[in-house]
Amino acid sequence: MGRGKFKGKPTGHRHFSTPEELRAGTSARPRTFKKEEAEVAEEEEESEEEVEEEPEKRKGTQGLIEIENPNLAKQKNVKAKDVDMGRTTELSRREREEIEKQKAHERYMKLQEQGKTEQARKDLERLALIRQQRAEAAKKREEEKAAREQKKTEARK
């Protein structure tokens, strides 16, 4: 009759079995789930025997045409007993470039320490110039200090 402003979905209402119906086994819900579960278990047992005969199934047209896709990522799972510890793995291009870059930087820094690079030579020239300027400034300060001391001693006499 009147259900108010909002009506339920037209798919029907849910029906819940009462505990009495469950005990009596007279619920409105069909009891096919256990039967289906038993059939699935039997099919699994049969399929285990057939697994050896069937090759892997492919989706769509993959079963018709055999294509080797070089971009396809293959599984890299290797069992522990199959691992060859003596074999080295191939590095990717990015990894190789990164290692080469690090080695080049290390070589450059070694030459830099020895003063053989152009930048190191310029730095050493600048450093020598700065040391010379500081030495001259220190000598000038000493002379001024000595001159002040001399004036003070002359003023006392």
Side-chain angles (χ1 to χ4, degrees):
M1 301 257 249
R3 291 189 294 188
K5 184 177 178 183
F6 300 106
K7 297 180 181 177
K9 293 186 178 179
T11 56
H13 299 285
R14 292 184 179 178
H15 176 73
F16 296 99
S17 302
T18 63
E20 292 83 29
E21 289 176 337
L22 289 173
R23 277 187 230 118
T26 59
S27 74
R29 194 175 96 223
R31 296 203 157 255
T32 58
F33 181 72
K34 288 185 180 177
K35 293 178 186 175
E36 290 176 8
E37 193 175 273
E39 291 174 6
V40 169
E42 290 175 12
E43 289 176 9
E44 287 179 1
E45 291 174 5
E46 294 173 6
S47 65
E48 288 176 2
E49 297 169 1
E50 296 174 5
V51 167
E52 298 171 2
E53 299 169 7
E54 294 180 22
E56 62 182 71
K57 292 184 180 180
R58 298 181 180 175
K59 295 179 184 175
T61 58
Q62 289 179 345
L64 303 174
I65 304 170
E66 298 216 9
I67 299 174
E68 283 296 318
N69 185 354
N71 298 325
L72 182 66
K74 296 181 178 93
Q75 278 190 335
K76 294 185 179 180
N77 296 339
V78 180
K79 293 183 179 177
K81 64 180 179 180
D82 297 336
V83 173
D84 184 14
M85 296 302 287
R87 188 178 62 107
T88 59
T89 58
E90 291 291 322
L91 298 174
S92 69
R93 177 184 57 84
R94 287 183 181 168
E95 291 171 336
R96 277 195 312 271
E97 288 175 356
E98 184 68 27
I99 291 171
E100 290 172 6
K101 186 178 177 183
Q102 288 175 352
K103 287 182 180 178
H105 182 70
E106 289 172 8
R107 281 193 304 270
Y108 181 78
M109 292 309 288
K110 200 175 211 179
L111 291 173
Q112 184 86 353
E113 288 175 7
Q114 295 172 358
K116 294 183 177 179
T117 62
E118 192 168 320
Q119 184 180 2
R121 287 187 199 117
K122 288 180 182 177
D123 288 345
L124 290 173
E125 288 173 10
R126 257 187 261 125
L127 185 61
L129 182 65
I130 290 169
R131 282 183 180 157
Q132 183 182 1
Q133 289 173 349
R134 286 181 182 170
E136 290 173 3
K139 187 187 283 185
K140 190 175 181 182
R141 270 187 255 119
E142 288 293 325
E143 289 174 1
E144 288 176 3
K145 190 176 183 183
R148 274 191 239 134
E149 289 290 326
Q150 193 176 19
K151 284 183 184 178
K152 283 183 182 179
T153 55
E154 287 177 8
R156 290 182 189 166
K157 290 184 183 178

